[in-house]
Amino acid sequence: MGTTRMVYIVTMLFSLIVLILSSSTVGYDYFQFTQQYQPAACNSNPTPCKDPPDKLFTVHGLWPSNMNRSELFNCSSSNVTYAKIQNIRTQLEMIWPNVFNRKNHLGFWNREWNKHGACGYPTIRNDLHYFQTVIKMYITQKQNVSDILSKAKIEPDGNIRTQKEIVDAIRKGIHGKEPNLKCQKNTQMTELVEVTLCSDGNLKQFIDCPHHFPNGSRHNCPTNHILY
Ligand SMILES: *[C@@H]1O[C@H](CO)[C@@H](O)[C@H](O)[C@H]1NC(C)=O
Ligand SMILES: *[C@@H]1O[C@H](CO)[C@@H](O)[C@H](O)[C@H]1NC(C)=O
Ligand SMILES: *[C@@H]1O[C@H](CO)[C@@H](O)[C@H](O)[C@H]1NC(C)=O
Ligand SMILES: *[C@@H]1O[C@H](CO)[C@@H](O)[C@H](O)[C@H]1NC(C)=O
Ligand SMILES: *[C@@H]1O[C@H](CO)[C@@H](O)[C@H](O)[C@H]1NC(C)=O
């Protein structure tokens, strides 16, 4: 058997093993980083928020997701304690508050970790790494949606915006990629409630968000007349 043939066979075997390992361990293709506009999130809740919301987009969650939309849920049931995250607690409370109940931030973080974060292995190594990754994205990598909008002179002043204005502003903050917007009907107006930024499965670069709320869905944003 010639050397070329050996090299060929070894290469093929190696590729096959890599293929099997990668397809059997990873159930996600990309990540959704979803941030909620606090006043709108409070409006969406059947019970009013106990504390007044800030006019800020803060983290809802970082969700490993599939192109084929198959469900990825509840990959763990382990809770972190305040002791384990004491070094990052202050930052987490700032960027990822439980706006519905500010006395129980930890419950919110643990729900997000167990329901979504733990499904992101191996990009997300463990619970602590999940929380650190979100801090890095929001603060260090400047994925703060309030800040991205503000840089384009879109402030939360209760004015009416077009979908294009908002999307174009966000695109500037994420290398031209397409975000996903979520709206909801307020008593009189349709308001912006969430913005999702999408990244590849290694969290290395932004991608166009593959899924949008379809026309007719109650969360679809209108072309014009979005309250923010
Ligand atoms: C959906 O995609 C993921 C990731 O590529 C894959 O692991 C999963 O088997 C797919 N599910 C279906 C139902 O096709
Ligand atoms: C995930 O866990 C939550 C809370 O325990 C539960 O309400 C939900 O039904 C579970 N979802 C799936 C798909 O198992
Ligand atoms: C995690 O905390 C929730 C409420 O905070 C509790 O209901 C649940 O039993 C805890 N799970 C574990 C595994 O400790
Ligand atoms: C996010 O951006 C807003 C608007 O610029 C700013 O007020 C807020 O402090 C920022 N949050 C963090 C944690 O940097
Ligand atoms: C949804 O509506 C918009 C605006 O009316 C239109 O441009 C777009 O093509 C529609 N999308 C689908 C999938 O029907």
Side-chain angles (χ1 to χ4, degrees):
M1 199 185 327
T3 319
T4 324
R5 200 180 160 85
M6 271 298 280
V7 168
Y8 178 77
I9 290 173
V10 169
T11 309
M12 287 308 283
L13 269 176
F14 184 73
S15 311
L16 192 67
I17 290 167
V18 168
L19 195 72
I20 290 170
L21 283 180
S22 59
S23 65
S24 62
T25 51
V26 177
Y28 55 90
D29 310 308
Y30 73 103
F31 281 85
Q32 301 191 72
F33 185 32
T34 299
Q35 296 173 38
Q36 56 188 358
Y37 182 57
Q38 293 189 14
C42 284
N43 289 340
S44 76
N45 210 35
T47 53
C49 290
K50 292 193 178 94
D51 301 286
D54 295 318
K55 287 186 164 183
L56 283 177
F57 272 94
T58 46
V59 178
H60 182 172
L62 175 64
W63 305 330
S65 307
N66 282 318
M67 294 296 181
N68 60 24
R69 294 170 185 253
S70 68
E71 306 243 313
L72 251 183
F73 263 150
N74 297 348
C75 297
S76 131
S77 57
S78 64
N79 289 339
V80 298
T81 57
Y82 274 125
K84 186 161 182 188
I85 54 164
Q86 60 174 331
N87 293 333
I88 56 173
R89 178 177 172 173
T90 314
Q91 275 177 312
L92 282 178
E93 285 178 352
M94 198 161 63
I95 69 165
W96 202 347
N98 182 349
V99 297
F100 302 119
N101 179 6
R102 290 176 194 259
K103 293 203 172 56
N104 187 19
H105 298 305
L106 195 62
F108 182 34
W109 303 333
N110 273 321
R111 268 199 312 282
E112 289 297 315
W113 157 248
N114 285 311
K115 187 168 171 193
H116 299 285
C119 305
Y121 184 83
T123 299
I124 302 297
R125 292 194 293 272
N126 52 47
D127 48 13
L128 191 58
H129 185 237
Y130 182 56
F131 301 127
Q132 287 166 336
T133 300
V134 170
I135 291 173
K136 184 172 95 187
M137 292 171 78
Y138 188 100
I139 298 177
T140 320
Q141 298 177 346
K142 302 191 187 333
Q143 299 188 34
N144 172 349
V145 167
S146 289
D147 205 43
I148 292 174
L149 288 172
S150 178
K151 287 211 170 73
K153 308 239 175 336
I154 298 182
E155 305 291 348
D157 46 16
N159 277 323
I160 304 302
R161 306 282 174 178
T162 67
Q163 188 184 123
K164 186 171 186 310
E165 267 181 285
I166 295 171
V167 168
D168 286 351
I170 293 168
R171 277 179 181 276
K172 290 204 185 99
I174 56 171
H175 304 160
K177 299 301 180 190
E178 174 96 11
N180 186 30
L181 308 185
K182 177 176 173 180
C183 285
Q184 71 191 5
K185 283 225 160 56
N186 194 338
T187 39
Q188 315 132 32
M189 282 301 307
T190 298
E191 60 186 351
L192 181 60
V193 56
E194 284 188 342
V195 171
T196 296
L197 313 178
C198 297
S199 296
D200 68 2
N202 299 312
L203 290 174
K204 291 277 189 254
Q205 53 193 17
F206 295 110
I207 61 167
D208 289 327
C209 285
H211 302 306
H212 301 279
F213 295 104
N215 291 343
S217 145
R218 67 194 180 95
H219 291 310
N220 182 252
C221 288
T223 311
N224 299 303
H225 304 292
I226 300 174
L227 181 70
Y228 170 58

